[in-house]
Amino acid sequence: MTSTASLSSRWQSYRSGPLGDDVVAAVIVTILLVPQSLAYAMLAGLPPVVGVMASLLPIVAYALLGSSSTLAVGPVAVLSMMTAQAILPVAQAQGVAPHLAALVLALEIAAVYLIAVVLRLEVLAALLGAPVLHGFITGASIAIALGQLPSLLGVAVKGNTLTEMIASASKAATLMPQGTTALIGLGALLLLWLSRKYGTKAGKALGLSPRGAQMAARMAPMLVVVFALVLIASTPVWSHGVSLAGRIDLKDGLQTPSLLEAPMGLWTALIAPATLLGLVGYVESLAVAEALGSKRGEKISPRRELLGLAGANAVAGVTGGMPVTGGFSRSVVNFDAGARTRAAGIWTALFLGIAVFLLGDVLRFLPKAVLAATIIIAVLSLIDLHPFQQAWRFAKTEFALMSAVTLLTVVSGVEEALLVGVLVSVALLLQRTARPHWAEVGRVAGTETFRNVRRFEVETQPEILSIRIDESLLFTNSRWVAEELNDQVQKRSGLKHVVLMMSGVNDIDLTGLDGLIQLDKDLQLQGITLHLSEVKGPVRDRLHAVGLDEWLSGDLFNTQHEAHAALAGAR
């Protein structure tokens, strides 16, 4: 009874709260999801309905296991292209249908994610720093908007990146827009822009409540789609030369190959592609989830994202789908439409199921130009130049990284941009740790506080050199730190003591330990004693474990003030 009452209470709370927003978002996403799924399946070299199957139950699996309230999981352009490259040659070599290879690939990607969960490899998400994330989201927004222009205008140009589009345009017979398509696409774009900018105000002016006006504005994409469907269906002249979404043939989609027919050679041949696709899919999906989450102050769990994607791909593999991940444009539309909880994904699956069984024929009247307009309006809303301005003022290197990731995403693609972004981030990290900040410190008069001698008026003793190190001592920097300290020692006369203030040292690796021991030996040869102060507990324990008292010539002080008082008084 208690459990039933609790479920009833939660349902009442959900019904009176996020339900309306989630349902509206689900309806809008469903309208976009069906034709997108068809296109992505064909891009992967698979029957069109496979894309629909990959968009149905995997959404539910992610909703139950994932952490983002707005991430929409399903087939996406990048993963679809990579899927085609992975399965088509392997399927031909193994003598099996590409669809069967896609099912095996989806299951192996799920296994990769589960292994990552067990080994806690979600820590790799830390490589997606703010510059990479902001650069990716900006570049992907621009790239997707550019990629929709051919469909919007009826131009025979293809490609997912600017480079591919330019190459396609150079081979096109003509770059003139198709008149009717451009009229429909630009008209839809204008209506959607007007509804976004003035829709809520117009609703309030018509007497709607603030919430009602906001809901009406969010319904604009759906209303534009319905208007286009009615226009094409009732006036055939408008469909002349216009590219339409097409209908769904369920008979092909329900004939799913059996996984039992997959030879062992197929499973082994797809392990490496599954690992690569899994990595790309996870990084891309996490980037989208965190970018959207940051706009709502929503915390994204990298580990749960791995689990959610594992569940989604496993379900796709056993229900006749294909590899899936978090879709950028689809998630943006879901976010933009006002989805508030992961339940929006379950509603999307429900509406998609209804569309698959009842509304397949209706899509043959839907112009792709209208879908393109909806996506363009949605993604452009995510372009935010403020992080670039902030990075320019804060750190020029971070600005350069952010700009490079943006440019590479537009020109070369998501994989190249994220790979370069992560590698450069690691390089910058190594550069920072290899040249850590350190400062000579002295005592602020009348206090027990020690500060940088270059920034504050402080007291120092000629026989004592106090150095504060503001980085862990690791293999990347231990030699440089020792060389810098020796240089400082050579510049001082009458020096008797060197005190390393280690309040900023969080860790010391074996190379760092060897560096400290060698530094102590070098100083002893010059008649100088090495001391340590303010060593953190875990670091202190590890130093004692390797016989600190046996190799350290000086003392270990709890505070820098204690060291100063003891050594200054030792004449």
Side-chain angles (χ1 to χ4, degrees):
M1 292 293 292
T2 303
S3 177
T4 302
S6 175
L7 287 175
S8 176
S9 174
R10 291 173 64 183
W11 166 249
Q12 291 296 334
S13 175
Y14 176 70
R15 188 176 67 175
S16 61
L19 174 60
D21 291 333
D22 284 352
V23 168
V24 170
V27 170
I28 294 172
V29 172
T30 299
I31 293 171
L32 297 176
L33 187 57
V34 176
Q36 275 189 3
S37 301
L38 298 175
Y40 293 152
M42 291 187 288
L43 184 61
L46 298 168
V49 172
V50 174
V52 176
M53 302 307 293
S55 303
L56 192 59
L57 294 181
I59 300 177
V60 178
Y62 176 83
L64 296 175
L65 299 172
S67 66
S68 172
S69 63
T70 54
L71 188 71
V73 169
V76 300
V78 171
L79 214 61
S80 297
M81 288 188 294
M82 295 181 69
T83 297
Q85 295 170 1
I87 66 173
L88 295 181
V90 173
Q92 184 177 7
Q94 295 291 325
V96 299
H99 190 187
L100 178 58
L103 300 181
V104 171
L105 185 62
L107 287 176
E108 290 190 347
I109 290 173
V112 168
Y113 288 142
L114 287 177
I115 292 172
V117 170
V118 173
L119 298 180
R120 295 188 176 276
L121 297 181
E122 71 276 3
V123 295
L124 295 176
L127 296 176
L128 281 175
V132 177
L133 191 60
H134 288 308
F136 165 76
I137 204 72
T138 303
S141 299
I142 296 172
I144 289 176
L146 290 174
Q148 294 302 314
L149 289 179
S151 295
L152 184 81
L153 302 175
V155 179
V157 173
K158 297 180 180 179
N160 294 299
T161 66
L162 185 59
T163 303
E164 293 174 356
M165 292 178 67
I166 292 174
S168 176
S170 66
K171 300 176 183 178
T174 177
L175 295 178
M176 287 296 294
Q178 200 280 333
T180 308
T181 299
L183 182 61
I184 292 174
L186 293 174
L189 192 68
L190 178 61
L191 289 175
L192 290 169
W193 179 79
L194 290 173
S195 67
R196 173 180 294 277
K197 190 169 182 65
Y198 304 109
T200 302
K201 293 180 180 179
K204 292 178 180 178
L206 293 174
L208 296 177
S209 65
R211 179 177 173 79
Q214 188 179 51
M215 293 287 287
R218 288 176 178 171
M219 291 283 287
M222 185 176 66
L223 297 177
V224 171
V225 166
V226 171
F227 176 77
L229 285 171
V230 172
L231 178 66
I232 297 297
S234 61
T235 314
V237 68
W238 280 97
S239 64
H240 181 67
V242 176
S243 179
L244 304 178
R247 64 184 298 275
I248 300 175
D249 188 353
L250 285 179
K251 295 180 181 178
D252 293 337
L254 297 178
Q255 297 174 359
T256 302
S258 172
L259 287 165
L260 298 177
E261 301 173 359
M264 183 56 64
L266 180 63
W267 291 91
T268 56
L270 290 174
I271 291 176
T275 303
L276 177 59
L277 265 73
L279 178 60
V280 171
Y282 173 61
V283 173
E284 181 178 353
S285 180
L286 185 64
V288 174
E290 291 193 334
L292 296 178
S294 66
K295 292 184 172 293
R296 287 187 174 177
E298 179 183 50
K299 183 175 178 57
I300 301 299
S301 167
R303 193 159 189 258
R304 283 190 58 188
E305 288 305 295
L306 279 174
L307 195 59
L309 292 176
N313 278 280
V315 169
V318 298
T319 60
M322 57 186 282
V324 298
T325 190
F328 186 85
S329 60
R330 192 179 309 137
S331 298
V332 171
V333 171
N334 193 40
F335 174 90
D336 192 62
R340 293 172 58 187
T341 72
R342 290 190 302 277
I346 298 176
W347 287 111
T348 299
L350 175 63
F351 296 147
L352 182 59
I354 294 174
V356 167
F357 283 101
L358 301 179
L359 305 176
D361 281 339
V362 175
L363 289 175
R364 61 194 176 97
F365 297 114
L366 179 59
K368 291 183 179 179
V370 174
L371 293 174
T374 305
I375 293 173
I376 288 173
I377 288 294
V379 297
L380 291 183
S381 67
L382 285 184
I383 296 178
D384 183 5
L385 298 181
H386 176 69
F388 290 85
Q389 298 169 351
Q390 188 179 52
W392 176 259
R393 294 192 297 265
F394 185 75
K396 299 296 190 295
T397 54
E398 306 280 11
F399 172 82
L401 175 57
M402 194 182 301
S403 301
V405 172
T406 300
L407 183 62
L408 280 172
T409 304
V410 175
V411 174
S412 300
V414 172
E415 302 99 316
E416 292 84 352
L418 291 178
L419 177 62
V420 170
V422 169
L423 291 178
V424 173
S425 295
V426 172
L428 291 175
L429 175 63
L430 291 176
Q431 183 187 48
R432 284 193 291 268
T433 58
R435 297 291 187 271
H437 178 266
W438 64 272
E440 181 182 353
V441 296
R443 186 172 68 91
V444 178
T447 73
E448 298 182 2
T449 302
F450 285 76
R451 290 290 186 266
N452 190 333
V453 298
R454 296 184 179 182
R455 294 179 178 270
F456 297 87
E457 292 290 336
V458 295
E459 299 174 347
T460 60
Q461 299 291 332
E463 70 274 15
I464 303 172
L465 175 62
S466 296
I467 300 293
R468 188 188 70 227
I469 301 175
D470 296 328
E471 183 61 74
S472 294
L473 296 179
L474 307 172
F475 71 96
T476 56
N477 61 31
S478 58
R479 179 177 296 179
W480 182 85
V481 169
E483 291 174 352
E484 287 292 307
L485 289 175
N486 275 317
D487 287 344
Q488 291 298 315
V489 169
Q490 298 302 320
K491 298 175 182 178
R492 307 297 178 98
S493 59
L495 193 62
K496 296 180 180 180
H497 304 281
V498 171
V499 183
L500 296 186
M501 182 178 176
M502 302 180 69
S503 55
V505 178
N506 295 317
D507 190 21
I508 300 177
D509 66 6
L510 191 58
T511 307
L513 174 65
D514 288 342
L516 274 181
I517 295 175
Q518 187 59 48
L519 175 65
D520 191 24
K521 292 178 179 178
D522 292 342
L523 292 176
Q524 286 187 64
L525 292 176
Q526 302 174 62
I528 300 172
T529 305
L530 177 66
H531 307 271
L532 305 179
S533 74
E534 301 191 9
V535 182
K536 293 185 176 180
V539 177
R540 181 192 294 252
D541 293 341
R542 295 175 66 186
L543 291 176
H544 279 303
V546 292
L548 175 67
D549 296 335
E550 298 174 6
W551 59 262
L552 182 64
S553 59
D555 295 315
L556 182 65
F557 296 100
N558 289 324
T559 67
Q560 183 65 24
H561 175 71
E562 180 183 316
H564 179 81
L567 299 177
R571 302 294 181 182

